[in-house]
Amino acid sequence: MNITVFDDLEKLYTKAADAFVDLSKKSIQKKGSFVVALSGGSSPKAIFKLLATPEYKDQIEWNKIYFFWVDERWVPLHDDKSNFRMTDETLLSQVPVDKNHVFPMYAEGISPEDYAETYEQQIRNVLGNEGTFDFILLGMGDDGHTASLFPGEAVLEEKEKWVSAYYLKPQEMFRITLTAPVINKAENILVIAFGESKKHALNEVLNGEYNPSLYPLQLIEKKEGFQFFTDEKAKG
């Protein structure tokens, strides 16, 4: 595991965008494609905006990238709460992606539980039964959750399914998420967590006893290809 502590968030965003470009080039050169799963939130939004600028956009073979999502609120694609909408507005609509390579984590006229099965099949159609993403971008909440893997939820015990959907009572809404088994298959994982509010959870995730029911990010294996970008306020 590689932890990088930044003294400036702009540097963090730039380094993350650089990593995306570098990994895309290596993957496309190696096998002709780059398959990613993206997160929502303010940090990814800043990174996506950077990637859409000419400096970055022109370095990437966008039509060879396959876009999946790490998790999603079960809301229509153009709802204000949609991770897809944010990604589409800041990145996908700004660059020449192949629309057949974009897999939103929501569909009309189907239950979230059924769509979780459909979404897993979509992943298998692209990645085969190995399910190895080239790159997954994760965040961490103040409570130590990542993706829609929230403390105390049954999804934390999942061992087989790659995608799961469930009703999150505290938020009074359904969530759909990649599970730890498929996230841990990824070649490269970048977790971004910064700010004073993340300090306690980050310390527990990195240094505390293993207790993923309280700090779900601990489920993600800290192996080669795992990077953690943070700042001095969070790292302490």
Side-chain angles (χ1 to χ4, degrees):
M1 178 177 64
N2 183 13
I3 302 173
T4 307
V5 182
F6 294 86
D7 58 8
D8 178 87
L9 291 185
E10 292 306 316
K11 293 178 183 176
L12 185 155
Y13 298 144
T14 299
K15 190 70 172 178
D18 289 343
F20 187 95
V21 171
D22 182 55
L23 291 172
S24 75
K25 288 179 177 178
K26 289 178 178 176
S27 180
I28 290 169
Q29 182 178 29
K30 181 179 179 181
K31 59 183 185 126
S33 64
F34 184 49
V35 185
V36 305
L38 303 177
S39 292
S42 57
S43 302
K45 185 176 182 178
I47 296 164
F48 299 159
K49 284 184 174 180
L50 261 183
L51 289 171
T53 61
E55 178 184 355
Y56 286 96
K57 179 169 66 174
D58 297 341
Q59 296 187 61
I60 297 170
E61 293 184 81
W62 294 102
N63 64 335
K64 295 181 180 178
I65 301 180
Y66 290 78
F67 295 91
F68 291 88
W69 273 260
V70 168
D71 72 322
E72 185 63 275
R73 302 170 183 87
W74 192 252
V75 295
L77 295 180
H78 295 290
D79 189 285
D80 288 344
K81 296 184 178 70
S82 169
N83 288 336
F84 170 82
R85 174 178 173 172
M86 182 277 285
T87 310
D88 186 53
E89 289 180 346
T90 57
L91 180 61
L92 301 183
S93 65
Q94 310 298 316
V95 297
V97 299
D98 183 336
K99 296 193 184 308
N100 293 321
H101 293 177
V102 178
F103 299 90
M105 220 174 201
Y106 174 85
E108 296 281 355
I110 185 172
S111 72
E113 294 92 344
D114 286 344
Y115 193 63
E117 295 182 13
T118 298
Y119 205 76
E120 177 167 334
Q121 188 57 54
Q122 290 176 338
I123 295 172
R124 290 180 184 275
N125 290 345
V126 173
L127 290 176
N129 292 327
E130 289 302 311
T132 304
F133 281 92
D134 299 309
F135 175 71
I136 294 181
L137 177 63
L138 296 174
M140 184 195 75
D142 296 352
D143 58 359
H145 86 267
T146 192
S148 284
L149 307 177
F150 285 90
E153 298 294 334
V155 68
L156 302 179
E157 305 297 325
E158 184 58 58
K159 298 293 192 293
E160 301 296 331
K161 293 179 182 177
W162 292 359
V163 186
S164 183
Y166 67 100
Y167 189 76
L168 185 61
K169 289 183 180 179
Q171 295 184 7
E172 298 183 338
M173 70 188 312
F174 277 93
R175 309 279 302 217
I176 182 168
T177 186
L178 299 187
T179 63
V182 74
I183 293 173
N184 280 326
K185 292 172 180 280
E187 288 280 349
N188 299 279
I189 297 172
L190 172 59
V191 180
I192 294 177
F194 57 81
E196 186 74 29
S197 65
K198 307 289 176 75
K199 186 174 182 178
H200 173 74
L202 182 59
N203 182 59
E204 291 294 331
V205 167
L206 296 178
N207 306 310
E209 292 185 14
Y210 186 70
N211 191 354
S213 64
L214 274 182
Y215 302 101
L217 185 55
Q218 289 183 333
L219 287 170
I220 310 308
E221 298 170 4
K222 316 303 188 291
K223 59 183 182 180
E224 185 179 355
F226 182 105
Q227 292 193 79
F228 213 117
F229 286 3
T230 185
D231 69 348
E232 294 165 350
K233 291 180 180 178
K235 189 65 167 62

